[in-house]
Amino acid sequence: MTTAPSAAPQGGVPRPKRLLTQNREMKAIGVWNWTLPAWAGRFPDGRTYNTCPAAGICAQVCYARNGTYLWPVVRGRHQANLAFVLDDLPGWETAITAELAAAKFRGAWVRIHDAGDFFTDDYLRAWLRICRSRPDVTFYAYTKEVERFRRLVEPDPPANFLWVYSYGGAQDHLLHPDADRVADVFPDEDAIAAAGWSSQEASDLLAVLGPRLVGIPANRIPHFLRRLHGRRFSQWQHDVDAERAARRHRHGAPPPPAAPNDSSAAQPPAA
C-alpha cells in the first residue's frame, strides 16, 4: 500500500459534476462539505491511495469507514472526487473555485474533508489559494497533518480559514494543547465535561468557534466503542506510541521525539 496517492493520470473514474454537497445536519448550520474517501483504498483501475498519511489509531474507528460511507454509490462519488484531484489538480482547483462563485455560497461555510485529510503539500497549497480567492466564504477543517500545517499554514493563514488539530494521529507528539486549538474524541459527553473540555455536539462549527479544547463524543457504533475501551483518542494513541517506543528500545532503536508536557492528553479522563 502506498503512503500517498499516485498522481499519475489515469482513466476509468468519472469526473464529478458537483463537488460540494450538503447533508441535513450541515444544512441546518449553513455548512457545505468537500469529501474524499477515508484513509487507504484502491480505485477500480487498481491504483492505491492514502488520503490520511498522518492517521494513527483513528483509522481503526473512523466513522467514514462505516455505514453509508461504504455503500458503492457513496464510495464511488468520494473516489471520483479524489481522482479529479490526483489526475488534474489545476483543473480541480479551477472547478471548485468556479463552483464557489455561486450566490448560495456567499456567507456560507465549507468544511474541508468530511473524510480524508490534506495528504500532500501541493493539495494543501491549492486549498489555501481557493480560500484566498473566495473571501466571502469561510472554510474550516479538522486535521492530523500537524507538521504540514506548521510549515505551510501557520506562518500566513488565509483570514477565512479556520482549523483544529485532532488527536489520534501519528503526529500527536507535535501538538501543544496549551497553545493549539485541539480536538479529542471522548467516550461520551460526561467524560468531556469531567475533563473540563467543551463539546462540539450542538454544532460542528463549535470545533473552530468555541473554546480551544474541543471534545467530541465517540460515535455510538458498538464495535468502535469496544475498541475505544473507555479511552480518549489521545490516551489510546499515547498507549500505542509508548508500546512502539518500548519495542524500539528493546531492539536498540533511538527513541522518538518527546511529546509536549500535557498530562491531560496522556491520562484517562477524570471519573
Side-chain angles (χ1 to χ4, degrees):
M1 183 67 66
T2 55
T3 57
S6 167
Q10 298 286 340
V13 181
R15 184 158 290 183
K17 295 180 180 179
R18 191 164 52 96
L19 299 173
L20 297 166
T21 59
Q22 196 174 45
N23 61 32
R24 182 168 56 185
E25 179 183 353
M26 290 303 192
K27 186 175 183 179
I29 57 174
V31 175
W32 294 80
N33 292 319
W34 160 253
T35 205
L36 299 173
W39 198 43
R42 185 182 300 272
F43 288 116
D45 61 16
R47 285 183 293 166
T48 58
Y49 57 80
N50 186 340
T51 62
C52 303
I57 56 89
C58 62
Q60 300 183 45
V61 287
C62 178
Y63 67 92
R65 300 180 66 211
N66 183 77
T68 59
Y69 286 86
L70 302 181
W71 292 0
V73 171
V74 175
R75 177 177 288 189
R77 178 180 177 82
H78 296 171
Q79 288 188 337
N81 285 345
L82 177 60
F84 194 177
V85 171
L86 296 178
D87 298 343
D88 184 10
L89 183 62
W92 168 81
E93 182 179 337
T94 297
I96 201 166
T97 301
E99 188 170 321
L100 285 163
K104 64 184 177 182
F105 292 111
R106 292 173 191 159
W109 290 73
V110 171
R111 175 172 169 175
I112 306 174
H113 303 134
D114 182 40
D117 209 336
F118 300 92
F119 55 82
T120 66
D121 284 6
D122 286 345
Y123 175 59
L124 175 53
R125 289 189 183 104
W127 268 114
L128 296 177
R129 290 191 296 269
I130 291 164
C131 293
R132 290 190 169 96
S133 72
R134 291 287 175 252
D136 53 348
V137 180
T138 306
F139 301 82
Y140 77 104
Y142 298 78
T143 186
K144 291 179 171 63
E145 292 290 337
V146 185
E147 185 276 335
R148 204 184 308 278
F149 265 60
R150 298 278 197 236
R151 287 189 292 109
L152 300 181
V153 181
E154 289 190 9
D156 183 26
N160 58 333
F161 179 40
L162 306 175
W163 68 92
V164 54
Y165 294 119
S166 54
Y167 278 107
Q171 298 179 7
D172 277 12
H173 63 281
L174 299 178
L175 292 175
H176 298 277
D178 56 339
D180 295 323
R181 174 173 288 274
V182 291
D184 203 354
V185 173
F186 289 74
D188 50 39
E189 290 283 353
D190 288 343
I192 294 172
W197 289 42
S198 296
S199 175
Q200 54 71 271
E201 180 69 3
S203 170
D204 195 54
L205 291 175
L206 292 174
V208 290
L209 296 179
R212 185 174 46 77
L213 301 180
V214 181
I216 303 172
N219 289 289
R220 312 318 293 174
I221 302 169
H223 62 286
F224 283 1
L225 290 174
R226 287 194 293 271
R227 291 176 187 172
L228 191 59
H229 198 56
R231 297 168 293 186
R232 294 160 58 170
F233 270 22
S234 59
Q235 180 187 2
W236 185 5
Q237 187 67 53
H238 177 270
D239 293 345
V240 169
D241 290 344
E243 175 56 30
R244 287 174 179 163
R247 288 199 301 268
R248 284 192 296 264
H249 179 72
R250 288 195 296 268
H251 291 88
N261 182 18
D262 173 40
S263 59
S264 69
Q267 299 298 322

